[in-house]
Amino acid sequence: MSFVAVPDGSDFPIENLPYGVFSTAGNPTARIGVAIGEKILDLSAVASFYPESVRNALQATVLNDLMSLGCDAWAEVRRTTKELLLEGSALHKDAALQARALVPQSDAKMHLPANIKDYTDFYSSIHHATNVGVMFRGKENALMPNWKHLPVGYHGRASSVVVSGTPIRRPYGQTLPVDGADPAFGPCRLFDFELEMAFFVGGPPTELGERVTVRDAAKRVFGFVLMNDWSARDIQKWEYVPLGPFTAKNLGTSISPWIVPVAALEPFLVDNFPQDPSPFP
Amino acid sequence: MSFVAVPDGSDFPIENLPYGVFSTAGNPTARIGVAIGEKILDLSAVASFYPESVRNALQATVLNDLMSLGCDAWAEVRRTTKELLLEGSALHKDAALQARALVPQSDAKMHLPANIKDYTDFYSSIHHATNVGVMFRGKENALMPNWKHLPVGYHGRASSVVVSGTPIRRPYGQTLPVDGADPAFGPCRLFDFELEMAFFVGGPPTELGERVTVRDAAKRVFGFVLMNDWSARDIQKWEYVPLGPFTAKNLGTSISPWIVPVAALEPFLVDNFPQDPSPFP
């Protein structure tokens, strides 16, 4: 049990321990923290308790360095964080350190947790792929023949990924309100929100052209966030054939500030639907 | 006329002055240079001749800072560079400085000229759009109705843009060699090269949701490179409906190391075809 109070129903019990990047009025430097109850454990303030191999990464202003260290380092960091937060830990016994290292979430400003150099959006739900297909292509052509065989995806605009709470402006763009008529230019009228799960990929950098096999893919997933893939559906409908969604999605993509580590979700693993057809090895 | 010898037929007369990032065996730090004849003028070595407002940007390891300063700064840098390279200049009179600042191109290793956070690929030629359309959709549906109205584009994988000469590996992927049969996994068999013009967009950063009007767009273009949009056509054909090209293009995108500034190309401007329909204001 943690010595930090965790209110009933909190999203942040000791079993979760998600990572985020925050700053405070008193210290505007962005730093890495772990949420616990209504507090944030400032990892830069307790970095000396962690193995030397991860200390620099914990004192960075974004999570990229920690993510690049790979899954063994992630396990080590998580184990040490949990120990620090348990009753009787070195942190529990040191009131002065607690005053520095435990920050109320209400005092913190949350930032984008990583520098995002690429962002890829996949169609991973057959229900969603079918629904959107009906909207854009009618019932007969709703699910494309490739969908069951490969993860159909596209690159989103990495530079407009923002942390939840950032204002998003309704975009201007071209639409075709009446099929066959001339297109119109103006504010989007079918502004949509789209709940998605997003994940951050880490591990040691690969060379250009180096493959990561399906078997090793899971080890590369650092953690999950919720995502809002804001979508201008009327713009999308007119622009997206044949090269995919573009300005209809460029206006912004919101992600939650806390990255929930894979280890926190493992106890909730259940069997998936059997995959049909079975994937390539 | 420049005091630096420019061989007949050189791509790098004083009218061009393209920007690149290079290093040498003796100095492995990447630095900004301007090509002239068979030499590179190392801007970090002559930065003190430039206005103070651009000096830091000229001593960076990539061109991003210079590009963010905007078109007035670009004009100023170009004017100063040209002056330095003319006969009778301060650089011409200083043999020791020349020995430091003028590097043979044959001794230089060229690097990616900028950190590329987003890369967008547009279909800007009606002939190309029609040809590719015939390949993928047949003659009847070759040119989509949106093409004449908006710049149809997609996001490419920014992290795999590399400088010309970097080895590119033939990718593995899913293809559908026989329509209606099961797809196959293996090396791409229709590996294609695709010559494109690419340009770098700069100027003062905009806020999320801030628009740049069509009228102001030209001022944002820093310069041009040649690009090879390597394409795995068999993978593309199977994966790209409805979300656009993805793994078929992720394997790598090569750009030439020298960015030719817009000012070097202005003398060659000619009237374009009249645009039909005319664009939105």
PDB file of all heavy atoms in Angstrom, chain A residues 46-82:
ATOM      1  N   VAL A  46      13.764  12.585  -7.556  1.00  0.00           N
ATOM      2  CA  VAL A  46      14.128  11.335  -6.887  1.00  0.00           C
ATOM      3  C   VAL A  46      15.016  10.453  -7.772  1.00  0.00           C
ATOM      4  O   VAL A  46      15.198   9.266  -7.495  1.00  0.00           O
ATOM      5  CB  VAL A  46      12.860  10.536  -6.454  1.00  0.00           C
ATOM      6  CG1 VAL A  46      12.107  11.270  -5.349  1.00  0.00           C
ATOM      7  CG2 VAL A  46      11.937  10.253  -7.641  1.00  0.00           C
ATOM      8  N   ALA A  47      15.577  11.043  -8.837  1.00  0.00           N
ATOM      9  CA  ALA A  47      16.341  10.256  -9.818  1.00  0.00           C
ATOM     10  C   ALA A  47      17.489   9.486  -9.172  1.00  0.00           C
ATOM     11  O   ALA A  47      17.854   8.403  -9.642  1.00  0.00           O
ATOM     12  CB  ALA A  47      16.852  11.165 -10.934  1.00  0.00           C
ATOM     13  N   SER A  48      18.051  10.004  -8.084  1.00  0.00           N
ATOM     14  CA  SER A  48      19.212   9.335  -7.468  1.00  0.00           C
ATOM     15  C   SER A  48      18.863   7.959  -6.896  1.00  0.00           C
ATOM     16  O   SER A  48      19.754   7.147  -6.654  1.00  0.00           O
ATOM     17  CB  SER A  48      19.802  10.220  -6.361  1.00  0.00           C
ATOM     18  OG  SER A  48      18.829  10.432  -5.358  1.00  0.00           O
ATOM     19  N   PHE A  49      17.580   7.668  -6.692  1.00  0.00           N
ATOM     20  CA  PHE A  49      17.175   6.347  -6.192  1.00  0.00           C
ATOM     21  C   PHE A  49      17.154   5.288  -7.306  1.00  0.00           C
ATOM     22  O   PHE A  49      17.004   4.099  -7.027  1.00  0.00           O
ATOM     23  CB  PHE A  49      15.779   6.410  -5.554  1.00  0.00           C
ATOM     24  CG  PHE A  49      15.758   7.170  -4.249  1.00  0.00           C
ATOM     25  CD1 PHE A  49      15.394   8.513  -4.214  1.00  0.00           C
ATOM     26  CD2 PHE A  49      16.126   6.551  -3.058  1.00  0.00           C
ATOM     27  CE1 PHE A  49      15.378   9.222  -3.022  1.00  0.00           C
ATOM     28  CE2 PHE A  49      16.105   7.244  -1.856  1.00  0.00           C
ATOM     29  CZ  PHE A  49      15.744   8.590  -1.843  1.00  0.00           C
ATOM     30  N   TYR A  50      17.269   5.719  -8.542  1.00  0.00           N
ATOM     31  CA  TYR A  50      17.127   4.808  -9.688  1.00  0.00           C
ATOM     32  C   TYR A  50      18.503   4.369 -10.180  1.00  0.00           C
ATOM     33  O   TYR A  50      19.508   5.046  -9.918  1.00  0.00           O
ATOM     34  CB  TYR A  50      16.354   5.512 -10.819  1.00  0.00           C
ATOM     35  CG  TYR A  50      14.891   5.740 -10.500  1.00  0.00           C
ATOM     36  CD1 TYR A  50      14.488   6.742  -9.621  1.00  0.00           C
ATOM     37  CD2 TYR A  50      13.905   4.933 -11.073  1.00  0.00           C
ATOM     38  CE1 TYR A  50      13.147   6.943  -9.314  1.00  0.00           C
ATOM     39  CE2 TYR A  50      12.563   5.130 -10.775  1.00  0.00           C
ATOM     40  CZ  TYR A  50      12.179   6.139  -9.897  1.00  0.00           C
ATOM     41  OH  TYR A  50      10.861   6.333  -9.601  1.00  0.00           O
ATOM     42  N   PRO A  51      18.567   3.244 -10.916  1.00  0.00           N
ATOM     43  CA  PRO A  51      19.848   2.806 -11.471  1.00  0.00           C
ATOM     44  C   PRO A  51      20.474   3.913 -12.327  1.00  0.00           C
ATOM     45  O   PRO A  51      19.759   4.670 -12.993  1.00  0.00           O
ATOM     46  CB  PRO A  51      19.468   1.607 -12.348  1.00  0.00           C
ATOM     47  CG  PRO A  51      18.157   1.137 -11.846  1.00  0.00           C
ATOM     48  CD  PRO A  51      17.466   2.315 -11.259  1.00  0.00           C
ATOM     49  N   GLU A  52      21.794   3.960 -12.313  1.00  0.00           N
ATOM     50  CA  GLU A  52      22.495   5.034 -13.024  1.00  0.00           C
ATOM     51  C   GLU A  52      22.145   5.045 -14.512  1.00  0.00           C
ATOM     52  O   GLU A  52      22.107   6.112 -15.131  1.00  0.00           O
ATOM     53  CB  GLU A  52      23.999   4.863 -12.834  1.00  0.00           C
ATOM     54  CG  GLU A  52      24.728   6.186 -12.949  1.00  0.00           C
ATOM     55  CD  GLU A  52      26.225   6.038 -12.731  1.00  0.00           C
ATOM     56  OE1 GLU A  52      26.621   5.269 -11.835  1.00  0.00           O
ATOM     57  OE2 GLU A  52      26.972   6.704 -13.477  1.00  0.00           O
ATOM     58  N   SER A  53      21.867   3.864 -15.071  1.00  0.00           N
ATOM     59  CA  SER A  53      21.623   3.763 -16.512  1.00  0.00           C
ATOM     60  C   SER A  53      20.350   4.502 -16.949  1.00  0.00           C
ATOM     61  O   SER A  53      20.187   4.794 -18.134  1.00  0.00           O
ATOM     62  CB  SER A  53      21.502   2.294 -16.911  1.00  0.00           C
ATOM     63  OG  SER A  53      20.510   1.664 -16.109  1.00  0.00           O
ATOM     64  N   VAL A  54      19.459   4.801 -16.024  1.00  0.00           N
ATOM     65  CA  VAL A  54      18.208   5.463 -16.415  1.00  0.00           C
ATOM     66  C   VAL A  54      18.121   6.894 -15.889  1.00  0.00           C
ATOM     67  O   VAL A  54      17.195   7.634 -16.227  1.00  0.00           O
ATOM     68  CB  VAL A  54      16.955   4.682 -15.930  1.00  0.00           C
ATOM     69  CG1 VAL A  54      16.957   3.257 -16.486  1.00  0.00           C
ATOM     70  CG2 VAL A  54      16.846   4.661 -14.414  1.00  0.00           C
ATOM     71  N   ARG A  55      19.096   7.287 -15.035  1.00  0.00           N
ATOM     72  CA  ARG A  55      18.970   8.578 -14.343  1.00  0.00           C
ATOM     73  C   ARG A  55      18.872   9.774 -15.290  1.00  0.00           C
ATOM     74  O   ARG A  55      18.056  10.656 -15.096  1.00  0.00           O
ATOM     75  CB  ARG A  55      20.175   8.751 -13.409  1.00  0.00           C
ATOM     76  CG  ARG A  55      19.773   8.714 -11.962  1.00  0.00           C
ATOM     77  CD  ARG A  55      20.996   8.764 -11.086  1.00  0.00           C
ATOM     78  NE  ARG A  55      21.219   7.477 -10.456  1.00  0.00           N
ATOM     79  CZ  ARG A  55      22.329   7.155  -9.788  1.00  0.00           C
ATOM     80  NH1 ARG A  55      23.334   8.023  -9.699  1.00  0.00           N
ATOM     81  NH2 ARG A  55      22.434   5.972  -9.233  1.00  0.00           N
ATOM     82  N   ASN A  56      19.729   9.801 -16.322  1.00  0.00           N
ATOM     83  CA  ASN A  56      19.666  10.925 -17.269  1.00  0.00           C
ATOM     84  C   ASN A  56      18.309  10.992 -17.959  1.00  0.00           C
ATOM     85  O   ASN A  56      17.737  12.075 -18.109  1.00  0.00           O
ATOM     86  CB  ASN A  56      20.754  10.801 -18.338  1.00  0.00           C
ATOM     87  CG  ASN A  56      22.098  11.279 -17.829  1.00  0.00           C
ATOM     88  OD1 ASN A  56      22.160  11.988 -16.815  1.00  0.00           O
ATOM     89  ND2 ASN A  56      23.159  10.879 -18.502  1.00  0.00           N
ATOM     90  N   ALA A  57      17.810   9.826 -18.333  1.00  0.00           N
ATOM     91  CA  ALA A  57      16.523   9.790 -19.035  1.00  0.00           C
ATOM     92  C   ALA A  57      15.407  10.324 -18.139  1.00  0.00           C
ATOM     93  O   ALA A  57      14.466  10.965 -18.627  1.00  0.00           O
ATOM     94  CB  ALA A  57      16.214   8.370 -19.500  1.00  0.00           C
ATOM     95  N   LEU A  58      15.504  10.068 -16.834  1.00  0.00           N
ATOM     96  CA  LEU A  58      14.449  10.521 -15.912  1.00  0.00           C
ATOM     97  C   LEU A  58      14.526  12.022 -15.660  1.00  0.00           C
ATOM     98  O   LEU A  58      13.589  12.611 -15.138  1.00  0.00           O
ATOM     99  CB  LEU A  58      14.550   9.777 -14.577  1.00  0.00           C
ATOM    100  CG  LEU A  58      14.366   8.261 -14.651  1.00  0.00           C
ATOM    101  CD1 LEU A  58      14.414   7.658 -13.249  1.00  0.00           C
ATOM    102  CD2 LEU A  58      13.052   7.901 -15.335  1.00  0.00           C
ATOM    103  N   GLN A  59      15.651  12.626 -16.014  1.00  0.00           N
ATOM    104  CA  GLN A  59      15.799  14.065 -15.784  1.00  0.00           C
ATOM    105  C   GLN A  59      15.627  14.877 -17.064  1.00  0.00           C
ATOM    106  O   GLN A  59      15.914  16.072 -17.097  1.00  0.00           O
ATOM    107  CB  GLN A  59      17.158  14.332 -15.133  1.00  0.00           C
ATOM    108  CG  GLN A  59      17.175  13.773 -13.711  1.00  0.00           C
ATOM    109  CD  GLN A  59      18.530  13.856 -13.032  1.00  0.00           C
ATOM    110  OE1 GLN A  59      18.833  14.828 -12.349  1.00  0.00           O
ATOM    111  NE2 GLN A  59      19.344  12.844 -13.264  1.00  0.00           N
ATOM    112  N   ALA A  60      15.118  14.232 -18.116  1.00  0.00           N
ATOM    113  CA  ALA A  60      14.876  14.930 -19.381  1.00  0.00           C
ATOM    114  C   ALA A  60      13.557  15.703 -19.306  1.00  0.00           C
ATOM    115  O   ALA A  60      12.801  15.579 -18.345  1.00  0.00           O
ATOM    116  CB  ALA A  60      14.837  13.907 -20.518  1.00  0.00           C
ATOM    117  N   THR A  61      13.295  16.505 -20.334  1.00  0.00           N
ATOM    118  CA  THR A  61      12.059  17.294 -20.357  1.00  0.00           C
ATOM    119  C   THR A  61      10.938  16.595 -21.132  1.00  0.00           C
ATOM    120  O   THR A  61       9.826  17.107 -21.210  1.00  0.00           O
ATOM    121  CB  THR A  61      12.306  18.673 -20.998  1.00  0.00           C
ATOM    122  OG1 THR A  61      12.797  18.457 -22.325  1.00  0.00           O
ATOM    123  CG2 THR A  61      13.343  19.467 -20.223  1.00  0.00           C
ATOM    124  N   VAL A  62      11.247  15.457 -21.724  1.00  0.00           N
ATOM    125  CA  VAL A  62      10.254  14.631 -22.419  1.00  0.00           C
ATOM    126  C   VAL A  62      10.622  13.167 -22.178  1.00  0.00           C
ATOM    127  O   VAL A  62      11.728  12.866 -21.719  1.00  0.00           O
ATOM    128  CB  VAL A  62      10.235  14.891 -23.951  1.00  0.00           C
ATOM    129  CG1 VAL A  62       9.479  16.154 -24.297  1.00  0.00           C
ATOM    130  CG2 VAL A  62      11.649  14.924 -24.510  1.00  0.00           C
ATOM    131  N   LEU A  63       9.710  12.268 -22.538  1.00  0.00           N
ATOM    132  CA  LEU A  63       9.926  10.854 -22.238  1.00  0.00           C
ATOM    133  C   LEU A  63      10.703  10.093 -23.321  1.00  0.00           C
ATOM    134  O   LEU A  63      10.935   8.890 -23.184  1.00  0.00           O
ATOM    135  CB  LEU A  63       8.570  10.172 -21.999  1.00  0.00           C
ATOM    136  CG  LEU A  63       7.963  10.469 -20.619  1.00  0.00           C
ATOM    137  CD1 LEU A  63       6.462  10.312 -20.629  1.00  0.00           C
ATOM    138  CD2 LEU A  63       8.581   9.531 -19.574  1.00  0.00           C
ATOM    139  N   ASN A  64      11.100  10.773 -24.391  1.00  0.00           N
ATOM    140  CA  ASN A  64      11.746  10.060 -25.507  1.00  0.00           C
ATOM    141  C   ASN A  64      12.948   9.231 -25.078  1.00  0.00           C
ATOM    142  O   ASN A  64      13.117   8.096 -25.521  1.00  0.00           O
ATOM    143  CB  ASN A  64      12.173  11.047 -26.600  1.00  0.00           C
ATOM    144  CG  ASN A  64      10.991  11.749 -27.224  1.00  0.00           C
ATOM    145  OD1 ASN A  64      10.273  12.465 -26.534  1.00  0.00           O
ATOM    146  ND2 ASN A  64      10.772  11.540 -28.508  1.00  0.00           N
ATOM    147  N   ASP A  65      13.820   9.788 -24.234  1.00  0.00           N
ATOM    148  CA  ASP A  65      15.023   9.042 -23.845  1.00  0.00           C
ATOM    149  C   ASP A  65      14.647   7.784 -23.068  1.00  0.00           C
ATOM    150  O   ASP A  65      15.195   6.709 -23.316  1.00  0.00           O
ATOM    151  CB  ASP A  65      15.952   9.917 -22.994  1.00  0.00           C
ATOM    152  CG  ASP A  65      16.640  10.991 -23.817  1.00  0.00           C
ATOM    153  OD1 ASP A  65      16.559  10.925 -25.060  1.00  0.00           O
ATOM    154  OD2 ASP A  65      17.242  11.898 -23.222  1.00  0.00           O
ATOM    155  N   LEU A  66      13.728   7.912 -22.131  1.00  0.00           N
ATOM    156  CA  LEU A  66      13.294   6.734 -21.371  1.00  0.00           C
ATOM    157  C   LEU A  66      12.681   5.698 -22.309  1.00  0.00           C
ATOM    158  O   LEU A  66      12.964   4.496 -22.207  1.00  0.00           O
ATOM    159  CB  LEU A  66      12.280   7.140 -20.286  1.00  0.00           C
ATOM    160  CG  LEU A  66      11.698   5.986 -19.466  1.00  0.00           C
ATOM    161  CD1 LEU A  66      12.785   5.211 -18.721  1.00  0.00           C
ATOM    162  CD2 LEU A  66      10.640   6.482 -18.481  1.00  0.00           C
ATOM    163  N   MET A  67      11.872   6.155 -23.249  1.00  0.00           N
ATOM    164  CA  MET A  67      11.229   5.219 -24.179  1.00  0.00           C
ATOM    165  C   MET A  67      12.273   4.497 -25.030  1.00  0.00           C
ATOM    166  O   MET A  67      12.104   3.330 -25.356  1.00  0.00           O
ATOM    167  CB  MET A  67      10.208   5.949 -25.041  1.00  0.00           C
ATOM    168  CG  MET A  67       9.005   6.409 -24.207  1.00  0.00           C
ATOM    169  SD  MET A  67       7.551   6.860 -25.171  1.00  0.00           S
ATOM    170  CE  MET A  67       8.011   8.472 -25.737  1.00  0.00           C
ATOM    171  N   SER A  68      13.369   5.169 -25.371  1.00  0.00           N
ATOM    172  CA  SER A  68      14.373   4.530 -26.229  1.00  0.00           C
ATOM    173  C   SER A  68      15.209   3.493 -25.473  1.00  0.00           C
ATOM    174  O   SER A  68      15.884   2.679 -26.090  1.00  0.00           O
ATOM    175  CB  SER A  68      15.283   5.581 -26.865  1.00  0.00           C
ATOM    176  OG  SER A  68      16.190   6.070 -25.906  1.00  0.00           O
ATOM    177  N   LEU A  69      15.170   3.499 -24.149  1.00  0.00           N
ATOM    178  CA  LEU A  69      15.992   2.552 -23.376  1.00  0.00           C
ATOM    179  C   LEU A  69      15.461   1.122 -23.450  1.00  0.00           C
ATOM    180  O   LEU A  69      16.199   0.173 -23.191  1.00  0.00           O
ATOM    181  CB  LEU A  69      16.100   3.007 -21.916  1.00  0.00           C
ATOM    182  CG  LEU A  69      16.908   4.295 -21.689  1.00  0.00           C
ATOM    183  CD1 LEU A  69      16.896   4.676 -20.214  1.00  0.00           C
ATOM    184  CD2 LEU A  69      18.339   4.143 -22.186  1.00  0.00           C
ATOM    185  N   GLY A  70      14.181   0.952 -23.756  1.00  0.00           N
ATOM    186  CA  GLY A  70      13.662  -0.404 -23.953  1.00  0.00           C
ATOM    187  C   GLY A  70      12.992  -0.995 -22.724  1.00  0.00           C
ATOM    188  O   GLY A  70      13.042  -0.444 -21.626  1.00  0.00           O
ATOM    189  N   CYS A  71      12.373  -2.169 -22.937  1.00  0.00           N
ATOM    190  CA  CYS A  71      11.430  -2.703 -21.954  1.00  0.00           C
ATOM    191  C   CYS A  71      12.086  -3.160 -20.658  1.00  0.00           C
ATOM    192  O   CYS A  71      11.452  -3.104 -19.596  1.00  0.00           O
ATOM    193  CB  CYS A  71      10.566  -3.802 -22.575  1.00  0.00           C
ATOM    194  SG  CYS A  71      11.501  -5.142 -23.289  1.00  0.00           S
ATOM    195  N   ASP A  72      13.349  -3.581 -20.680  1.00  0.00           N
ATOM    196  CA  ASP A  72      13.990  -3.956 -19.412  1.00  0.00           C
ATOM    197  C   ASP A  72      14.152  -2.721 -18.520  1.00  0.00           C
ATOM    198  O   ASP A  72      13.902  -2.776 -17.314  1.00  0.00           O
ATOM    199  CB  ASP A  72      15.352  -4.613 -19.670  1.00  0.00           C
ATOM    200  CG  ASP A  72      15.199  -5.975 -20.352  1.00  0.00           C
ATOM    201  OD1 ASP A  72      14.090  -6.548 -20.280  1.00  0.00           O
ATOM    202  OD2 ASP A  72      16.177  -6.439 -20.958  1.00  0.00           O
ATOM    203  N   ALA A  73      14.570  -1.625 -19.108  1.00  0.00           N
ATOM    204  CA  ALA A  73      14.708  -0.379 -18.346  1.00  0.00           C
ATOM    205  C   ALA A  73      13.346   0.083 -17.828  1.00  0.00           C
ATOM    206  O   ALA A  73      13.231   0.556 -16.689  1.00  0.00           O
ATOM    207  CB  ALA A  73      15.348   0.706 -19.216  1.00  0.00           C
ATOM    208  N   TRP A  74      12.291  -0.071 -18.638  1.00  0.00           N
ATOM    209  CA  TRP A  74      10.957   0.355 -18.198  1.00  0.00           C
ATOM    210  C   TRP A  74      10.525  -0.442 -16.964  1.00  0.00           C
ATOM    211  O   TRP A  74       9.935   0.105 -16.036  1.00  0.00           O
ATOM    212  CB  TRP A  74       9.914   0.190 -19.314  1.00  0.00           C
ATOM    213  CG  TRP A  74      10.295   0.848 -20.618  1.00  0.00           C
ATOM    214  CD1 TRP A  74      11.182   1.895 -20.784  1.00  0.00           C
ATOM    215  CD2 TRP A  74       9.828   0.510 -21.935  1.00  0.00           C
ATOM    216  NE1 TRP A  74      11.283   2.204 -22.110  1.00  0.00           N
ATOM    217  CE2 TRP A  74      10.467   1.383 -22.848  1.00  0.00           C
ATOM    218  CE3 TRP A  74       8.935  -0.433 -22.436  1.00  0.00           C
ATOM    219  CZ2 TRP A  74      10.233   1.329 -24.221  1.00  0.00           C
ATOM    220  CZ3 TRP A  74       8.706  -0.490 -23.806  1.00  0.00           C
ATOM    221  CH2 TRP A  74       9.345   0.377 -24.687  1.00  0.00           C
ATOM    222  N   ALA A  75      10.824  -1.744 -16.975  1.00  0.00           N
ATOM    223  CA  ALA A  75      10.461  -2.599 -15.834  1.00  0.00           C
ATOM    224  C   ALA A  75      11.216  -2.159 -14.581  1.00  0.00           C
ATOM    225  O   ALA A  75      10.652  -2.088 -13.477  1.00  0.00           O
ATOM    226  CB  ALA A  75      10.751  -4.053 -16.171  1.00  0.00           C
ATOM    227  N   GLU A  76      12.486  -1.858 -14.751  1.00  0.00           N
ATOM    228  CA  GLU A  76      13.348  -1.415 -13.642  1.00  0.00           C
ATOM    229  C   GLU A  76      12.825  -0.094 -13.051  1.00  0.00           C
ATOM    230  O   GLU A  76      12.728   0.052 -11.828  1.00  0.00           O
ATOM    231  CB  GLU A  76      14.769  -1.224 -14.209  1.00  0.00           C
ATOM    232  CG  GLU A  76      15.835  -0.943 -13.209  1.00  0.00           C
ATOM    233  CD  GLU A  76      16.190  -2.152 -12.367  1.00  0.00           C
ATOM    234  OE1 GLU A  76      16.133  -3.283 -12.901  1.00  0.00           O
ATOM    235  OE2 GLU A  76      16.488  -1.957 -11.170  1.00  0.00           O
ATOM    236  N   VAL A  77      12.484   0.839 -13.905  1.00  0.00           N
ATOM    237  CA  VAL A  77      11.991   2.140 -13.433  1.00  0.00           C
ATOM    238  C   VAL A  77      10.675   1.952 -12.688  1.00  0.00           C
ATOM    239  O   VAL A  77      10.463   2.516 -11.598  1.00  0.00           O
ATOM    240  CB  VAL A  77      11.811   3.124 -14.614  1.00  0.00           C
ATOM    241  CG1 VAL A  77      11.065   4.384 -14.185  1.00  0.00           C
ATOM    242  CG2 VAL A  77      13.167   3.495 -15.201  1.00  0.00           C
ATOM    243  N   ARG A  78       9.816   1.131 -13.221  1.00  0.00           N
ATOM    244  CA  ARG A  78       8.517   0.905 -12.593  1.00  0.00           C
ATOM    245  C   ARG A  78       8.675   0.252 -11.212  1.00  0.00           C
ATOM    246  O   ARG A  78       8.023   0.650 -10.255  1.00  0.00           O
ATOM    247  CB  ARG A  78       7.661   0.019 -13.510  1.00  0.00           C
ATOM    248  CG  ARG A  78       6.246  -0.194 -13.025  1.00  0.00           C
ATOM    249  CD  ARG A  78       5.425  -0.896 -14.101  1.00  0.00           C
ATOM    250  NE  ARG A  78       4.153  -1.351 -13.542  1.00  0.00           N
ATOM    251  CZ  ARG A  78       3.093  -0.583 -13.375  1.00  0.00           C
ATOM    252  NH1 ARG A  78       3.136   0.688 -13.740  1.00  0.00           N
ATOM    253  NH2 ARG A  78       1.980  -1.061 -12.843  1.00  0.00           N
ATOM    254  N   ARG A  79       9.588  -0.734 -11.133  1.00  0.00           N
ATOM    255  CA  ARG A  79       9.828  -1.415  -9.857  1.00  0.00           C
ATOM    256  C   ARG A  79      10.321  -0.402  -8.810  1.00  0.00           C
ATOM    257  O   ARG A  79       9.834  -0.367  -7.673  1.00  0.00           O
ATOM    258  CB  ARG A  79      10.869  -2.521 -10.084  1.00  0.00           C
ATOM    259  CG  ARG A  79      11.126  -3.401  -8.883  1.00  0.00           C
ATOM    260  CD  ARG A  79      11.793  -4.715  -9.281  1.00  0.00           C
ATOM    261  NE  ARG A  79      12.920  -4.526 -10.183  1.00  0.00           N
ATOM    262  CZ  ARG A  79      13.019  -5.066 -11.405  1.00  0.00           C
ATOM    263  NH1 ARG A  79      12.081  -5.850 -11.869  1.00  0.00           N
ATOM    264  NH2 ARG A  79      14.068  -4.836 -12.158  1.00  0.00           N
ATOM    265  N   THR A  80      11.266   0.442  -9.179  1.00  0.00           N
ATOM    266  CA  THR A  80      11.833   1.413  -8.235  1.00  0.00           C
ATOM    267  C   THR A  80      10.777   2.443  -7.810  1.00  0.00           C
ATOM    268  O   THR A  80      10.689   2.811  -6.634  1.00  0.00           O
ATOM    269  CB  THR A  80      13.048   2.125  -8.874  1.00  0.00           C
ATOM    270  OG1 THR A  80      13.951   1.134  -9.356  1.00  0.00           O
ATOM    271  CG2 THR A  80      13.749   3.009  -7.872  1.00  0.00           C
ATOM    272  N   THR A  81       9.965   2.893  -8.771  1.00  0.00           N
ATOM    273  CA  THR A  81       8.910   3.869  -8.445  1.00  0.00           C
ATOM    274  C   THR A  81       7.938   3.275  -7.421  1.00  0.00           C
ATOM    275  O   THR A  81       7.574   3.933  -6.442  1.00  0.00           O
ATOM    276  CB  THR A  81       8.147   4.277  -9.722  1.00  0.00           C
ATOM    277  OG1 THR A  81       9.072   4.801 -10.667  1.00  0.00           O
ATOM    278  CG2 THR A  81       7.082   5.326  -9.416  1.00  0.00           C
ATOM    279  N   LYS A  82       7.545   2.034  -7.672  1.00  0.00           N
ATOM    280  CA  LYS A  82       6.601   1.370  -6.759  1.00  0.00           C
ATOM    281  C   LYS A  82       7.202   1.264  -5.357  1.00  0.00           C
ATOM    282  O   LYS A  82       6.535   1.585  -4.361  1.00  0.00           O
ATOM    283  CB  LYS A  82       6.270  -0.026  -7.316  1.00  0.00           C
ATOM    284  CG  LYS A  82       4.955  -0.579  -6.834  1.00  0.00           C
ATOM    285  CD  LYS A  82       4.562  -1.829  -7.638  1.00  0.00           C
ATOM    286  CE  LYS A  82       3.182  -1.691  -8.239  1.00  0.00           C
ATOM    287  NZ  LYS A  82       2.870  -2.743  -9.204  1.00  0.00           N
TER     288      LYS A  82
END
